[in-house]
Amino acid sequence: MDEPDRTLPDGYEDQLGHGALTFANRPLLTGTADLDRWQPDVAIVGAPLDINTTNKPGARFGPRALRAEADHPGAYHLDLRIEVFDHLEVIDYGDALCPHGQSEVGLANIRQRVLEVASRGIVPVVIGGDHSITWPSVEAVAEAHGWGSIGVVHFDAHADTADRIDGNAASHGTPMRRLIESGAVLGRNFVQVGLRGYWPPAHVFDWMQEQGMRWHLMQEVWERGAPAVMADAVAEAMEGCDALYLSVDIDVLDPGFAPGTGTPEPGGMAPADLLRAVRKLALETNLVGMDIVEVSPPYDHAQQTVNNAHRVVMEFLAGLAVRRRDG
């Protein structure tokens, strides 16, 4: 393979942090030829789709907010003592085209853009968007790494395993069922953390149990503590797998910390626990993709939700950077 060419066009660098809006001011690449030339480790992919939302929309603005509204204090991780972007080449690959009112087209475009990244051995970080975007994103990663060979760790207040919601098979409440039905992920390797509240009903949990899925309710997290739960979740998801995909619905956090989301559910995780859980996964497992979803800026206050979501991604990147540095 040729040496990577990471030269920027004239005037481009001056725009970063001033005019051009990219995640953490990383370089913007727009096509597969750029990916082949640059050979990054990680690519940020926007998935601005919220047409499959059941409650309050607005997550289509999540990618824009994570690029434009999050505070960017730097990239030196105090706990891990690493300058993230010194050891991990991260680029922003722009957004998948999600045209108004066309769910199938948008989901197909997300799948294609994530596949362009994952098929090159680049780790996709998908910023949504409602949770329906996880369906095409995980399928693209599974296609690149082996159908049925990756596990999923899913942080959420809701299981998202309904068959249909209002007749919609692509609702943001159904993507995890679609992934298991397609065979992209085996039920035994699908682990959920933080579930709580009053949905889904018992018959959906019965289906989940039949598939071999494992879950850790918020009650268990409260009783045992996040570190103990995460140790079990990692072992369960990795059973028979050598790679994991991480999906984080920001509503896994208590709405006091993350008001900017479409389906808030009281009694959730604190950011300190979520961020360290994501860090643990990134440090200890072979993560080959992730998404952060359901950030709805119209309902946010003082960028609380946006900044928490941004830091979830930064913890993921910091863990990957340590693994790259340490070989």
Side-chain angles (χ1 to χ4, degrees), residues 92-142:
D92 194 319
Y93 195 46
D95 286 353
L97 178 62
C98 297
H100 166 70
Q102 300 181 60
S103 176
E104 282 191 26
V105 175
L107 293 173
N109 288 344
I110 292 166
R111 192 183 196 281
Q112 177 59 34
R113 199 156 188 87
V114 175
L115 183 60
E116 289 171 3
V117 171
S119 64
R120 289 168 166 78
I122 303 165
V123 176
V125 173
V126 187
I127 50 178
D130 69 43
H131 220 150
S132 68
I133 68 99
T134 296
W135 178 15
S137 299
V138 174
E139 284 199 345
V141 173

Side-chain angles (χ1 to χ4, degrees), residues 187-209:
R188 73 180 187 197
N189 298 122
F190 211 112
V191 182
Q192 301 180 310
V193 179
L195 306 184
R196 60 189 187 276
Y198 309 92
W199 187 91
H203 71 87
V204 175
F205 274 106
D206 290 342
W207 179 88
M208 292 163 59
Q209 193 164 27

Side-chain angles (χ1 to χ4, degrees), residues 46-318:
L49 183 145
D50 67 3
I51 196 172
N52 294 313
T53 304
T54 56
N55 194 18
K56 296 181 290 187
R60 71 183 66 185
F61 302 114
R64 183 186 305 173
L66 279 167
R67 291 170 172 130
E69 297 175 18
D71 297 325
H72 301 294
Y76 180 72
H77 196 292
L78 298 184
D79 291 332
L80 299 178
R81 302 182 67 180
I82 189 170
E83 188 71 41
V84 173
F85 300 129
D86 283 354
H87 300 275
L88 195 71
E89 186 61 29
V90 180
I91 60 91
D92 194 319
Y93 195 46
D95 286 353
L97 178 62
C98 297
H100 166 70
Q102 300 181 60
S103 176
E104 282 191 26
V105 175
L107 293 173
N109 288 344
I110 292 166
R111 192 183 196 281
Q112 177 59 34
R113 199 156 188 87
V114 175
L115 183 60
E116 289 171 3
V117 171
S119 64
R120 289 168 166 78
I122 303 165
V123 176
V125 173
V126 187
I127 50 178
D130 69 43
H131 220 150
S132 68
I133 68 99
T134 296
W135 178 15
S137 299
V138 174
E139 284 199 345
V141 173
E143 183 173 333
H145 289 274
W147 206 253
S149 68
I150 61 171
V152 172
V153 176
H154 168 208
F155 289 90
D156 205 327
H158 313 99
D160 293 350
T161 48
D163 185 23
R164 300 285 194 280
I165 295 182
D166 296 332
N168 183 8
S171 165
H172 72 161
T174 65
M176 310 317 170
R177 183 178 288 234
R178 300 287 87 84
L179 288 171
I180 291 173
E181 288 178 339
S182 73
V185 182
L186 301 181
R188 73 180 187 197
N189 298 122
F190 211 112
V191 182
Q192 301 180 310
V193 179
L195 306 184
R196 60 189 187 276
Y198 309 92
W199 187 91
H203 71 87
V204 175
F205 274 106
D206 290 342
W207 179 88
M208 292 163 59
Q209 193 164 27
E210 290 168 3
Q211 312 311 309
M213 294 178 69
R214 272 78 69 91
W215 56 85
H216 301 272
L217 303 182
M218 193 62 212
Q219 180 69 18
E220 181 188 350
V221 178
W222 181 73
E223 290 175 351
R224 298 180 59 212
V229 168
M230 285 309 302
D232 290 348
V234 169
E236 290 163 354
M238 288 297 292
E239 187 178 309
C241 290
D242 59 7
L244 291 182
Y245 184 101
L246 170 65
S247 183
V248 179
D249 186 325
I250 202 63
D251 74 20
V252 75
L253 293 178
D254 188 90
F257 300 111
T261 190
T263 51
E265 182 60 51
M269 293 182 74
D273 290 332
L274 176 61
L275 295 178
R276 284 160 180 79
V278 170
R279 184 193 309 173
K280 177 182 177 67
L281 281 164
L283 287 170
E284 298 181 5
T285 70
N286 179 27
L287 284 171
V288 293
M290 78 156 285
D291 60 55
I292 178 79
V293 300
E294 300 288 349
V295 175
S296 185
Y299 301 99
D300 205 4
H301 173 72
Q303 287 79 50
Q304 290 182 79
T305 313
V306 167
N307 279 314
N308 277 318
H310 177 271
R311 299 309 191 272
V312 166
V313 177
M314 289 304 296
E315 289 292 340
F316 176 89
L317 297 178

Side-chain angles (χ1 to χ4, degrees), residues 3-80:
E3 286 297 309
D5 176 6
R6 295 171 178 168
T7 55
L8 291 169
D10 290 342
Y12 189 105
E13 193 166 9
D14 293 338
Q15 291 297 315
L16 292 176
H18 298 89
L21 295 175
T22 65
F23 186 89
N25 295 328
R26 302 307 299 162
L28 174 66
L29 305 185
T30 58
T32 54
D34 292 332
L35 294 178
D36 292 335
R37 176 175 64 88
W38 201 278
Q39 299 175 31
D41 301 308
V42 177
I44 308 294
V45 179
L49 183 145
D50 67 3
I51 196 172
N52 294 313
T53 304
T54 56
N55 194 18
K56 296 181 290 187
R60 71 183 66 185
F61 302 114
R64 183 186 305 173
L66 279 167
R67 291 170 172 130
E69 297 175 18
D71 297 325
H72 301 294
Y76 180 72
H77 196 292
L78 298 184
D79 291 332
L80 299 178

